[in-house]
Amino acid sequence: MNQYDVDDYVLPRRRSPWVLVGAGSTAAILLGGLLAFRRGNQNLSQKMMRARVVAQGATVAIMAGTAGAASLSVSPETDSVAPPRSTEKPDMQ
């Protein structure tokens, strides 16, 4: 077996259910805002678009937080992602 097997580079992934909730709520708010705009209710449409920006920002923050937490919980055995660099100079011909 190769010293640098592919399984050593792949970190275990676990999806956060809050990311799915955030994405779903962002999509629902966007759809509501578009429907309000289509019906001519500009005030409600503007409020929905502002709410969409907040929901989208929260979803991105959750994604970044879970990615950061996952990277901190990596065990020391699988902490090295890249193989060590060789100190030898390549042959120039």
Side-chain angles (χ1 to χ4, degrees), residues 21-67:
V21 169
S25 65
T26 300
I29 294 170
L30 174 63
L31 182 62
L34 290 175
L35 289 175
F37 181 74
R38 185 176 174 128
R39 291 183 183 154
N41 192 346
Q42 292 179 352
N43 191 22
L44 179 61
S45 176
Q46 183 67 24
K47 288 180 181 178
M48 295 290 279
M49 289 300 119
R50 288 179 182 166
R52 178 199 54 87
V53 170
V54 171
Q56 191 171 358
T59 303
V60 170
I62 291 170
M63 288 170 48
T66 56

